[in-house]
Coordinates of all heavy atoms in Angstrom, one line a residue:
M4 N 0.8 -1.2 0.0 CA 0.0 0.0 0.0 C 0.9 1.2 0.0 O 2.0 1.2 0.5 CB -0.9 0.0 1.3 CG -1.8 1.2 1.3 SD -1.8 2.0 2.9 CE -1.7 0.8 4.1
E5 N 0.4 2.3 -0.6 CA 1.2 3.5 -0.6 C 0.3 4.7 -0.2 O -0.9 4.7 -0.5 CB 1.9 3.8 -1.9 CG 1.1 4.1 -3.1 CD 1.9 4.4 -4.3 OE1 2.9 3.6 -4.6 OE2 1.5 5.3 -5.1
V6 N 1.0 5.7 0.4 CA 0.3 6.9 0.8 C 1.3 8.0 0.4 O 2.5 8.0 0.6 CB 0.2 7.0 2.4 CG1 -0.5 8.3 2.8 CG2 -0.6 5.8 2.9
I7 N 0.7 9.1 -0.3 CA 1.5 10.2 -0.7 C 1.3 11.3 0.3 O 0.2 11.7 0.6 CB 1.1 10.7 -2.1 CG1 1.2 9.5 -3.1 CG2 1.9 11.9 -2.6 CD1 0.7 9.8 -4.5
V8 N 2.4 11.8 0.8 CA 2.4 12.7 2.0 C 3.2 14.0 1.7 O 4.0 14.0 0.8 CB 2.9 12.1 3.3 CG1 2.0 10.9 3.7 CG2 4.3 11.7 3.2
N9 N 3.0 15.0 2.5 CA 3.7 16.3 2.4 C 4.9 16.2 3.5 O 4.8 15.4 4.4 CB 2.8 17.5 2.8 CG 1.8 17.7 1.7 OD1 2.1 17.7 0.5 ND2 0.6 18.0 2.1
N10 N 5.8 17.1 3.3 CA 6.8 17.4 4.3 C 8.0 16.5 4.4 O 8.9 16.7 5.3 CB 6.2 17.6 5.7 CG 5.2 18.7 5.7 OD1 5.2 19.6 4.9 ND2 4.2 18.6 6.6
I11 N 8.1 15.4 3.6 CA 9.3 14.6 3.7 C 10.5 15.3 3.0 O 10.4 15.7 1.8 CB 9.1 13.2 3.0 CG1 8.0 12.4 3.8 CG2 10.4 12.4 3.0 CD1 7.6 11.1 3.1
K12 N 11.6 15.5 3.7 CA 12.7 16.3 3.2 C 14.0 15.6 3.2 O 14.9 16.0 2.5 CB 12.7 17.6 3.9 CG 11.5 18.4 3.6 CD 11.6 19.8 4.3 CE 10.4 20.6 4.1 NZ 9.1 20.0 4.0
C13 N 14.3 14.6 4.1 CA 15.6 14.1 4.3 C 15.6 12.8 4.9 O 14.6 12.2 5.2 CB 16.5 15.1 5.1 SG 16.0 15.2 6.8
S14 N 16.8 12.3 5.2 CA 17.0 11.0 5.8 C 16.5 10.9 7.2 O 16.1 9.9 7.7 CB 18.5 10.5 5.8 OG 19.3 11.4 6.5
G15 N 16.5 12.1 7.9 CA 15.9 12.1 9.3 C 14.4 11.8 9.2 O 13.9 11.1 10.1
C16 N 13.7 12.4 8.2 CA 12.3 12.1 8.0 C 12.1 10.6 7.8 O 11.2 10.0 8.3 CB 11.7 13.0 6.9 SG 11.9 14.7 7.1
I17 N 12.9 10.1 6.9 CA 12.7 8.7 6.5 C 13.0 7.8 7.7 O 12.2 6.8 7.9 CB 13.7 8.3 5.3 CG1 13.3 9.0 4.0 CG2 13.8 6.8 5.2 CD1 14.3 8.9 2.9
N18 N 14.0 8.1 8.5 CA 14.3 7.3 9.6 C 13.1 7.3 10.6 O 12.7 6.2 11.1 CB 15.6 7.8 10.3 CG 16.1 6.9 11.4 OD1 16.0 5.7 11.3 ND2 16.6 7.5 12.4
I19 N 12.6 8.4 11.0 CA 11.5 8.4 12.0 C 10.2 7.8 11.5 O 9.6 7.0 12.2 CB 11.2 9.9 12.5 CG1 10.4 9.9 13.8 CG2 10.6 10.7 11.5 CD1 11.2 9.4 15.0
I20 N 9.9 8.0 10.2 CA 8.7 7.4 9.6 C 8.9 5.9 9.6 O 7.9 5.2 10.0 CB 8.4 8.0 8.2 CG1 8.0 9.4 8.3 CG2 7.4 7.1 7.5 CD1 8.0 10.1 6.9
T21 N 10.0 5.4 9.1 CA 10.2 4.0 9.0 C 10.1 3.3 10.4 O 9.4 2.3 10.5 CB 11.6 3.7 8.4 OG1 11.6 4.3 7.1 CG2 11.9 2.2 8.2
K22 N 10.8 3.9 11.4 CA 10.8 3.3 12.7 C 9.4 3.2 13.3 O 9.0 2.2 13.9 CB 11.7 4.0 13.6 CG 13.2 3.7 13.4 CD 14.1 4.5 14.4 CE 15.5 4.1 14.2 NZ 16.4 4.7 15.1
K23 N 8.6 4.3 13.1 CA 7.3 4.4 13.7 C 6.4 3.4 13.0 O 5.6 2.7 13.7 CB 6.8 5.8 13.6 CG 5.4 6.0 14.3 CD 5.5 5.8 15.8 CE 4.2 6.2 16.4 NZ 4.2 6.0 17.9
L24 N 6.4 3.3 11.7 CA 5.5 2.4 10.9 C 5.9 1.0 11.2 O 5.0 0.1 11.4 CB 5.6 2.7 9.4 CG 5.0 4.0 9.0 CD1 5.1 4.2 7.5 CD2 3.5 4.1 9.4
I25 N 7.2 0.6 11.3 CA 7.5 -0.8 11.6 C 7.1 -1.1 13.0 O 6.5 -2.2 13.2 CB 9.1 -0.9 11.5 CG1 9.4 -0.9 10.0 CG2 9.5 -2.2 12.2 CD1 10.9 -0.9 9.7
A26 N 7.2 -0.2 14.0 CA 6.8 -0.5 15.3 C 5.3 -0.6 15.5 O 4.8 -1.5 16.2 CB 7.3 0.6 16.3
T27 N 4.6 0.2 14.8 CA 3.1 0.3 14.9 C 2.4 -0.9 14.2 O 1.5 -1.5 14.7 CB 2.6 1.6 14.3 OG1 3.2 2.7 15.0 CG2 1.1 1.7 14.5
F28 N 2.9 -1.2 13.0 CA 2.2 -2.2 12.2 C 3.0 -3.5 12.0 O 2.6 -4.4 11.3 CB 2.0 -1.6 10.7 CG 1.1 -0.5 10.8 CD1 1.6 0.8 10.7 CD2 -0.3 -0.6 10.9 CE1 0.7 1.9 10.8 CE2 -1.2 0.4 11.0 CZ -0.7 1.7 11.0
N29 N 4.1 -3.7 12.8 CA 4.8 -5.0 12.9 C 5.1 -5.5 11.4 O 4.8 -6.6 11.1 CB 4.0 -6.0 13.7 CG 4.9 -7.2 14.0 OD1 6.1 -7.0 14.2 ND2 4.3 -8.3 14.2
T30 N 5.7 -4.6 10.6 CA 6.0 -5.0 9.3 C 7.5 -4.8 9.1 O 8.2 -4.1 9.9 CB 5.3 -4.1 8.2 OG1 5.6 -4.5 6.9 CG2 5.6 -2.6 8.4
K31 N 8.1 -5.4 8.1 CA 9.5 -5.3 7.8 C 9.8 -4.5 6.6 O 10.9 -4.1 6.3 CB 10.1 -6.7 7.6 CG 10.0 -7.5 8.9 CD 10.6 -8.9 8.7 CE 10.5 -9.6 10.0 NZ 10.4 -11.0 9.9
E32 N 8.7 -4.1 5.8 CA 8.9 -3.5 4.6 C 8.3 -2.1 4.6 O 7.1 -1.9 4.6 CB 8.2 -4.3 3.5 CG 8.4 -3.8 2.1 CD 9.8 -4.3 1.5 OE1 10.3 -5.3 1.9 OE2 10.3 -3.6 0.6
V33 N 9.1 -1.0 4.6 CA 8.7 0.4 4.4 C 9.7 1.0 3.4 O 10.9 0.9 3.7 CB 8.7 1.1 5.7 CG1 8.4 2.6 5.5 CG2 7.8 0.5 6.7
N34 N 9.2 1.6 2.4 CA 10.0 2.3 1.4 C 9.5 3.7 1.2 O 8.3 3.9 1.1 CB 10.0 1.5 0.0 CG 10.7 0.2 0.1 OD1 11.9 0.1 0.5 ND2 9.9 -0.9 -0.2
I35 N 10.4 4.6 1.2 CA 10.0 6.0 1.1 C 10.8 6.7 -0.1 O 12.0 6.6 -0.2 CB 10.3 6.8 2.4 CG1 9.5 6.1 3.5 CG2 9.9 8.2 2.3 CD1 9.8 6.6 4.9
N36 N 10.0 7.4 -0.9 CA 10.6 8.2 -2.0 C 10.5 9.7 -1.6 O 9.3 10.2 -1.5 CB 9.8 8.0 -3.3 CG 10.4 8.7 -4.5 OD1 10.5 10.0 -4.4 ND2 10.7 8.0 -5.5
I37 N 11.6 10.3 -1.3 CA 11.6 11.7 -0.8 C 11.0 12.7 -1.8 O 10.2 13.5 -1.5 CB 13.0 12.2 -0.4 CG1 13.5 11.4 0.8 CG2 13.0 13.7 -0.1 CD1 15.0 11.7 1.2
E38 N 11.5 12.5 -3.1 CA 11.1 13.5 -4.1 C 9.6 13.5 -4.4 O 9.0 14.5 -4.6 CB 11.8 13.2 -5.4 CG 13.3 13.4 -5.4 CD 14.1 12.3 -4.7 OE1 13.6 11.1 -4.7 OE2 15.2 12.6 -4.2
Q39 N 9.0 12.3 -4.4 CA 7.6 12.2 -4.7 C 6.7 12.2 -3.4 O 5.5 12.2 -3.5 CB 7.3 11.0 -5.5 CG 8.0 11.1 -6.9 CD 7.8 9.8 -7.7 OE1 7.4 8.8 -7.2 NE2 8.2 9.9 -9.0
G40 N 7.3 12.0 -2.2 CA 6.5 12.0 -1.0 C 5.7 10.7 -0.8 O 4.7 10.7 -0.2
I41 N 6.2 9.6 -1.5 CA 5.5 8.3 -1.4 C 6.0 7.5 -0.3 O 7.2 7.2 -0.2 CB 5.6 7.6 -2.8 CG1 5.0 8.4 -3.9 CG2 4.9 6.2 -2.7 CD1 5.2 7.9 -5.3
V42 N 5.1 7.0 0.5 CA 5.4 6.1 1.6 C 4.8 4.7 1.2 O 3.5 4.7 1.1 CB 4.9 6.6 3.0 CG1 5.2 5.5 4.1 CG2 5.6 7.9 3.3
K43 N 5.6 3.7 1.0 CA 5.1 2.4 0.7 C 5.3 1.5 1.9 O 6.4 1.5 2.5 CB 5.7 1.8 -0.5 CG 5.4 2.5 -1.8 CD 6.1 1.8 -3.0 CE 5.7 2.5 -4.2 NZ 6.4 1.8 -5.4
I44 N 4.3 0.8 2.3 CA 4.4 -0.1 3.5 C 3.6 -1.4 3.2 O 2.6 -1.4 2.6 CB 3.8 0.6 4.8 CG1 3.9 -0.3 6.0 CG2 2.4 1.1 4.6 CD1 3.5 0.3 7.3
D45 N 4.2 -2.5 3.7 CA 3.7 -3.8 3.4 C 2.6 -4.1 4.5 O 2.9 -4.9 5.4 CB 4.8 -4.8 3.4 CG 4.3 -6.2 3.0 OD1 3.3 -6.3 2.3 OD2 5.0 -7.2 3.4
V46 N 1.5 -3.5 4.3 CA 0.3 -3.8 5.2 C -0.9 -3.9 4.3 O -0.9 -3.4 3.2 CB 0.1 -2.8 6.3 CG1 1.2 -2.8 7.3 CG2 -0.2 -1.5 5.8
D47 N -2.0 -4.4 4.8 CA -3.2 -4.5 4.0 C -3.8 -3.2 3.7 O -3.7 -2.3 4.6 CB -4.2 -5.4 4.8 CG -5.4 -5.8 4.0 OD1 -5.3 -6.7 3.2 OD2 -6.5 -5.1 4.2
D48 N -4.4 -3.0 2.6 CA -5.0 -1.7 2.2 C -6.1 -1.2 3.1 O -6.3 0.0 3.2 CB -5.5 -1.8 0.7 CG -4.5 -1.8 -0.3 OD1 -3.3 -1.5 0.0 OD2 -4.8 -2.2 -1.5
T49 N -6.7 -2.1 3.9 CA -7.7 -1.7 4.8 C -7.2 -0.9 5.9 O -7.9 -0.2 6.6 CB -8.5 -3.0 5.4 OG1 -7.5 -3.8 6.1 CG2 -9.2 -3.8 4.3
K50 N -5.9 -0.9 6.1 CA -5.2 -0.1 7.2 C -4.8 1.3 6.7 O -4.1 1.9 7.4 CB -4.1 -0.9 7.8 CG -4.6 -2.2 8.4 CD -3.4 -2.8 9.2 CE -4.0 -4.1 9.9 NZ -3.6 -4.2 11.2
K51 N -5.2 1.7 5.5 CA -4.7 2.9 5.0 C -5.0 4.1 5.9 O -4.1 5.0 6.1 CB -5.2 3.2 3.6 CG -4.6 4.4 3.0 CD -5.0 4.6 1.5 CE -4.3 5.8 1.0 NZ -4.5 6.0 -0.5
S52 N -6.2 4.2 6.4 CA -6.5 5.3 7.3 C -5.7 5.3 8.6 O -5.3 6.4 9.1 CB -8.0 5.3 7.6 OG -8.4 4.2 8.4
E53 N -5.4 4.1 9.1 CA -4.5 4.0 10.3 C -3.1 4.5 10.0 O -2.5 5.2 10.8 CB -4.5 2.6 10.8 CG -5.8 2.1 11.3 CD -5.8 0.6 11.7 OE1 -4.8 0.2 12.4 OE2 -6.6 -0.1 11.2
V54 N -2.6 4.1 8.8 CA -1.3 4.5 8.4 C -1.2 6.0 8.2 O -0.3 6.7 8.7 CB -0.8 3.8 7.1 CG1 0.5 4.4 6.5 CG2 -0.7 2.3 7.3
A55 N -2.2 6.5 7.5 CA -2.3 8.0 7.3 C -2.4 8.8 8.6 O -1.8 9.8 8.8 CB -3.5 8.3 6.5
Q56 N -3.0 8.2 9.6 CA -3.1 8.9 10.9 C -1.8 8.9 11.7 O -1.4 9.9 12.2 CB -4.2 8.2 11.8 CG -4.4 8.9 13.1 CD -4.9 10.3 13.0 OE1 -5.9 10.6 12.2 NE2 -4.3 11.3 13.6
V57 N -1.0 7.8 11.6 CA 0.3 7.7 12.2 C 1.2 8.7 11.5 O 1.9 9.5 12.2 CB 0.9 6.3 12.1 CG1 2.4 6.3 12.4 CG2 0.1 5.3 12.9
L58 N 1.1 8.8 10.2 CA 1.9 9.8 9.4 C 1.6 11.2 9.8 O 2.4 12.1 10.0 CB 1.8 9.5 7.9 CG 2.4 8.2 7.4 CD1 2.0 7.9 6.0 CD2 3.9 8.3 7.6
L59 N 0.3 11.5 9.9 CA -0.2 12.8 10.3 C 0.3 13.2 11.7 O 0.8 14.3 11.9 CB -1.7 12.9 10.3 CG -2.4 14.2 10.8 CD1 -1.9 15.4 9.9 CD2 -3.9 14.1 10.8
N60 N 0.3 12.2 12.6 CA 0.7 12.5 14.0 C 2.2 12.8 14.0 O 2.7 13.6 14.9 CB 0.4 11.3 14.9 CG -1.0 11.1 15.2 OD1 -1.8 12.0 15.0 ND2 -1.4 10.0 15.6
L61 N 3.0 12.3 13.0 CA 4.4 12.7 12.9 C 4.7 14.0 12.2 O 5.8 14.5 12.2 CB 5.1 11.5 12.2 CG 5.3 10.2 13.0 CD1 5.8 9.1 12.0 CD2 6.2 10.4 14.2
G62 N 3.6 14.5 11.6 CA 3.7 15.8 10.8 C 3.8 15.6 9.3 O 4.2 16.5 8.6
Y63 N 3.5 14.4 8.8 CA 3.5 14.1 7.4 C 2.1 13.7 6.9 O 1.8 12.5 6.8 CB 4.5 12.9 7.2 CG 5.9 13.2 7.7 CD1 6.3 12.7 9.0 CD2 6.8 14.0 7.0 CE1 7.5 13.0 9.5 CE2 8.0 14.3 7.6 CZ 8.4 13.8 8.8 OH 9.6 14.1 9.3
P64 N 1.3 14.7 6.7 CA -0.1 14.4 6.3 C -0.2 13.9 4.9 O 0.6 14.3 4.0 CB -0.8 15.8 6.5 CG 0.3 16.8 6.2 CD 1.5 16.1 6.8
E65 N -1.3 13.1 4.7 CA -1.6 12.7 3.3 C -1.8 14.0 2.5 O -2.5 14.9 2.9 CB -2.8 11.8 3.3 CG -3.0 11.1 2.0 CD -4.1 10.0 2.1 OE1 -4.7 9.8 3.2 OE2 -4.2 9.2 1.2
I66 N -1.3 14.0 1.3 CA -1.4 15.1 0.4 C -2.9 15.6 0.3 O -3.8 14.8 0.2 CB -0.8 14.8 -1.0 CG1 -0.4 16.1 -1.7 CG2 -1.6 13.9 -1.8 CD1 0.7 16.0 -2.7
N67 N -3.1 16.9 0.3 CA -4.4 17.5 0.2 C -5.4 17.1 1.3 O -6.6 17.3 1.1 CB -5.0 17.3 -1.2 CG -4.2 17.9 -2.3 OD1 -3.7 19.0 -2.1 ND2 -4.1 17.2 -3.4
S68 N -4.9 16.6 2.4 CA -5.8 16.2 3.5 C -6.0 17.3 4.5 O -7.1 17.3 5.3 CB -5.3 14.9 4.2 OG -4.1 15.2 4.9
I69 N -5.1 18.2 4.7 CA -5.3 19.3 5.6 C -4.9 20.6 4.9 O -4.1 20.6 4.0 CB -4.4 19.1 6.9 CG1 -3.0 19.0 6.6 CG2 -4.9 17.9 7.7 CD1 -2.1 18.9 7.8
H70 N -5.4 21.7 5.5 CA -5.1 23.1 4.9 C -5.0 24.1 6.0 O -5.3 23.9 7.1 CB -6.3 23.4 3.9 CG -6.5 22.4 2.9 ND1 -5.7 22.3 1.8 CD2 -7.5 21.5 2.8 CE1 -6.2 21.3 1.0 NE2 -7.2 20.8 1.6
G71 N -4.5 25.3 5.6 CA -4.4 26.4 6.5 C -3.5 26.2 7.7 O -2.4 25.6 7.6
F72 N -4.1 26.5 8.9 CA -3.3 26.4 10.2 C -2.9 25.0 10.4 O -1.8 24.7 10.9 CB -4.1 26.9 11.3 CG -3.4 26.8 12.7 CD1 -2.3 27.6 13.0 CD2 -3.8 25.8 13.6 CE1 -1.7 27.5 14.2 CE2 -3.1 25.7 14.8 CZ -2.1 26.5 15.1
N73 N -3.7 24.0 10.1 CA -3.4 22.6 10.3 C -2.2 22.2 9.5 O -1.4 21.4 9.9 CB -4.6 21.7 10.1 CG -5.6 21.8 11.2 OD1 -5.3 22.1 12.3 ND2 -6.8 21.6 10.8
S74 N -2.1 22.8 8.3 CA -0.9 22.5 7.4 C 0.4 23.0 8.1 O 1.4 22.4 8.1 CB -1.2 23.1 6.1 OG -0.1 22.9 5.2
T75 N 0.3 24.2 8.6 CA 1.4 24.9 9.3 C 1.8 24.1 10.5 O 3.0 23.9 10.8 CB 1.1 26.3 9.6 OG1 0.7 27.0 8.4 CG2 2.3 27.0 10.3
K76 N 0.8 23.6 11.2 CA 1.1 22.8 12.4 C 1.8 21.5 12.1 O 2.7 21.1 12.7 CB -0.3 22.5 13.1 CG -0.2 21.8 14.4 CD -1.6 21.7 15.0 CE -1.7 20.6 16.0 NZ -3.1 20.5 16.5
A77 N 1.3 20.9 11.0 CA 2.0 19.6 10.5 C 3.4 19.9 10.1 O 4.3 19.0 10.4 CB 1.2 19.0 9.3
K78 N 3.7 21.0 9.5 CA 5.1 21.3 9.1 C 6.0 21.4 10.3 O 7.1 20.9 10.4 CB 5.2 22.6 8.3 CG 5.2 22.4 6.9 CD 5.4 23.7 6.1 CE 5.1 23.4 4.7 NZ 5.0 24.5 3.8
A79 N 5.5 22.1 11.4 CA 6.2 22.2 12.6 C 6.5 20.8 13.2 O 7.6 20.6 13.7 CB 5.5 23.1 13.6
K80 N 5.5 20.0 13.2 CA 5.6 18.6 13.8 C 6.7 17.9 13.0 O 7.5 17.1 13.5 CB 4.3 17.9 13.7 CG 3.4 18.1 14.8 CD 2.2 17.2 14.7 CE 1.3 17.2 15.9 NZ 0.1 16.3 15.7
S81 N 6.6 18.0 11.6 CA 7.6 17.3 10.8 C 9.0 17.7 11.1 O 9.9 16.9 11.0 CB 7.2 17.4 9.3 OG 7.6 18.7 8.8
F82 N 9.2 19.0 11.4 CA 10.6 19.4 11.7 C 11.1 18.8 13.0 O 12.2 18.4 13.1 CB 10.7 21.0 11.9 CG 10.6 21.7 10.6 CD1 9.7 22.6 10.3 CD2 11.6 21.5 9.6 CE1 9.6 23.3 9.1 CE2 11.5 22.1 8.4 CZ 10.5 23.1 8.1
I83 N 10.2 18.7 14.0 CA 10.5 18.0 15.2 C 10.8 16.5 15.0 O 11.8 16.0 15.5 CB 9.4 18.2 16.3 CG1 9.3 19.7 16.7 CG2 9.7 17.3 17.5 CD1 8.1 20.1 17.4
S84 N 9.9 15.8 14.2 CA 10.1 14.4 13.9 C 11.4 14.2 13.2 O 12.1 13.3 13.5 CB 8.9 13.9 13.1 OG 7.7 13.9 13.9
C85 N 11.7 15.1 12.2 CA 12.9 15.0 11.4 C 14.1 15.1 12.3 O 15.1 14.3 12.2 CB 12.9 16.0 10.3 SG 14.4 16.0 9.4
T86 N 14.1 16.0 13.2 CA 15.2 16.2 14.1 C 15.5 15.0 15.0 O 16.6 14.5 15.2 CB 15.0 17.5 15.0 OG1 14.8 18.6 14.2 CG2 16.2 17.7 16.0
I87 N 14.4 14.4 15.5 CA 14.5 13.2 16.3 C 15.0 12.0 15.4 O 15.9 11.3 15.8 CB 13.1 12.8 16.9 CG1 12.7 13.8 17.9 CG2 13.2 11.4 17.5 CD1 11.3 13.7 18.4
G88 N 14.6 12.0 14.2 CA 15.1 11.0 13.2 C 16.5 11.1 12.9 O 17.3 10.1 12.8
R89 N 17.0 12.3 12.9 CA 18.5 12.6 12.6 C 19.3 12.2 13.8 O 20.4 11.6 13.6 CB 18.7 14.0 12.3 CG 18.3 14.5 11.0 CD 18.6 15.9 10.7 NE 18.0 16.4 9.6 CZ 18.0 17.6 9.1 NH1 18.8 18.5 9.8 NH2 17.4 18.0 8.0
I90 N 18.8 12.4 15.0 CA 19.5 12.0 16.2 C 19.6 10.5 16.3 O 20.6 10.0 16.8 CB 18.8 12.7 17.5 CG1 19.0 14.2 17.4 CG2 19.4 12.1 18.7 CD1 18.1 14.9 18.4
N91 N 18.6 9.8 15.9 CA 18.5 8.4 16.1 C 19.0 7.6 14.9 O 18.8 6.4 14.8 CB 17.1 7.9 16.4 CG 16.7 8.4 17.8 OD1 17.4 8.4 18.7 ND2 15.4 8.8 17.9
I92 N 19.7 8.2 14.0 CA 20.2 7.5 12.8 C 21.3 6.5 13.2 O 22.1 6.7 14.0 CB 20.7 8.5 11.7 CG1 19.5 9.2 11.1 CG2 21.5 7.8 10.6 CD1 19.8 10.1 10.0

């Protein structure tokens, strides 16, 4: 399954997203394309909303899912998540 998200910028983002998705969904397969913002995870398609919620909580909302202040809030969260991801590389 894949989800296209905003705010993925670097290896810190990839690290935090990968660790969180693996821990939450007990999967071994997570692939992320920075340029296109695509997160691919080896889980059943019925869990897409759950995956999208985990990504949103980290600051990486599904594309076109939030706007205005919530978009700004997600960007701020993504910077924090990214920083944590860089520290834990």
Side-chain angles (χ1 to χ4, degrees):
M4 180 227 325
E5 71 179 38
V6 181
I7 302 173
V8 298
N9 291 319
N10 303 333
I11 297 176
K12 295 182 179 35
C13 69
S14 61
C16 299
I17 290 173
N18 190 37
I19 195 74
I20 291 169
T21 301
K22 284 182 177 183
K23 185 66 173 180
L24 291 177
I25 287 172
T27 304
F28 296 100
N29 195 28
T30 184
K31 295 178 181 156
E32 186 82 27
V33 176
N34 294 300
I35 300 171
N36 180 305
I37 293 174
E38 292 81 25
Q39 297 176 349
I41 298 173
V42 177
K43 291 183 181 180
I44 180 172
D45 186 24
V46 296
D47 190 79
D48 286 346
T49 60
K50 295 190 180 223
K51 185 171 184 175
S52 64
E53 294 173 53
V54 171
Q56 186 61 50
V57 168
L58 292 167
L59 175 62
N60 289 344
L61 289 171
Y63 306 98
E65 191 168 9
I66 198 155
N67 296 323
S68 66
I69 60 172
H70 305 284
F72 177 73
N73 288 330
S74 179
T75 303
K76 185 175 159 185
K78 264 189 192 168
K80 278 184 170 181
S81 75
F82 285 124
I83 294 167
S84 293
C85 177
T86 301
I87 292 169
R89 286 184 192 178
I90 292 169
N91 292 321
I92 288 181

